[in-house]
Amino acid sequence: MLANFFGVDDKYFYLPVDSEGAEPSVVIDCLEQGSLRQLLAAVAGLSESSTGLVVDMAEHLRRAEKLPEITAGAD
């Protein structure tokens, strides 16, 4: 097993998937694209209503730039 080879816990190679996992800042810091890190850091902690506005705006911008609709993560 890879974790044994490196002498680390199995969980070292995976981000938590449950709601009680990593703090949002830990997940955000794992992103490589700086603009996404900045956007998510700005949105973290906002109310559901406010985050909904950000999502609506992003969807509007995608349509304006003729990008495909995003279906991943839709509730």
Side-chain angles (χ1 to χ4, degrees):
M1 182 169 272
L2 191 60
N4 291 337
F5 178 80
F6 287 105
V8 297
D9 189 87
D10 291 339
K11 295 176 186 173
Y12 179 85
F13 295 103
Y14 302 96
L15 288 174
V17 294
D18 62 2
S19 61
E20 297 179 18
E23 291 292 318
S25 61
V26 172
V27 176
I28 292 168
D29 289 343
C30 290
L31 295 171
E32 292 182 15
Q33 192 173 351
S35 59
L36 285 180
R37 279 196 312 271
Q38 184 178 4
L39 175 63
L40 291 177
V43 172
L46 293 178
S47 68
E48 189 171 329
S49 175
S50 293
T51 55
L53 289 171
V54 173
V55 170
D56 289 345
M57 178 57 74
E59 290 171 348
H60 174 78
L61 292 169
R62 290 189 65 82
R63 285 190 301 274
E65 294 187 14
K66 297 182 180 12
L67 295 171
E69 182 178 335
I70 299 299
T71 57
D75 292 323

